[in-house]
Amino acid sequence: MVVVLDHTKAGDRFQYHLGYLNVIYKSTIYTLVVLVVGLCERLLHAYHDSGEFNHALREVYAGRDLNHFFASIICIGISFIVYNIFSEINRSMRDGTLMKIFFSKNTSSE
């Protein structure tokens, strides 16, 4: 999902604005896309089981694991925030610098 959205115009809308705006925008858009796709998936499964669209809508709305679904969306949204924060830090430090900080040997002798 992130790979696709990062290469769309929606993902680059605030690229040249303040970093926190880019993080908030991207995280919100990515989370909303996951929410819509997740709801569509649940609706399609319910429709496949029942054969009626109205019954499928009622089943999705009254589903007993709807709270679990929204909790998952919140957790996914938080992970998007963390991802976008690190992406913004990496972009501002030049691409690759953040990876070198985390994955290169520390040569200082402190």
Side-chain angles (χ1 to χ4, degrees), residues 3-90:
V3 173
V4 172
L5 290 174
D6 268 347
H7 296 305
T8 63
K9 286 188 178 190
D12 292 335
R13 181 174 225 111
F14 285 95
Q15 184 176 5
Y16 300 109
H17 289 74
L18 296 173
Y20 77 92
L21 291 175
N22 196 16
V23 169
I24 291 170
Y25 174 75
K26 278 185 168 184
S27 300
T28 303
I29 294 298
Y30 293 2
T31 304
L32 288 175
V33 168
V34 168
L35 175 69
V36 168
V37 169
L39 285 174
C40 288
E41 178 186 12
R42 291 171 58 91
L43 184 63
L44 286 173
H45 281 288
Y47 178 72
H48 184 267
D49 292 342
S50 68
E52 291 183 37
F53 187 72
N54 288 335
H55 186 267
L57 278 174
R58 278 181 280 171
E59 189 176 321
V60 168
Y61 181 71
R64 40 179 190 196
D65 62 339
L66 197 60
N67 289 335
H68 181 268
F69 173 73
F70 284 119
S72 298
I73 295 297
I74 290 170
C75 290
I76 291 168
I78 291 170
S79 68
F80 282 145
I81 290 170
V82 171
Y83 168 78
N84 286 317
I85 286 172
F86 278 102
S87 292
E88 194 62 31
I89 291 170
N90 190 41

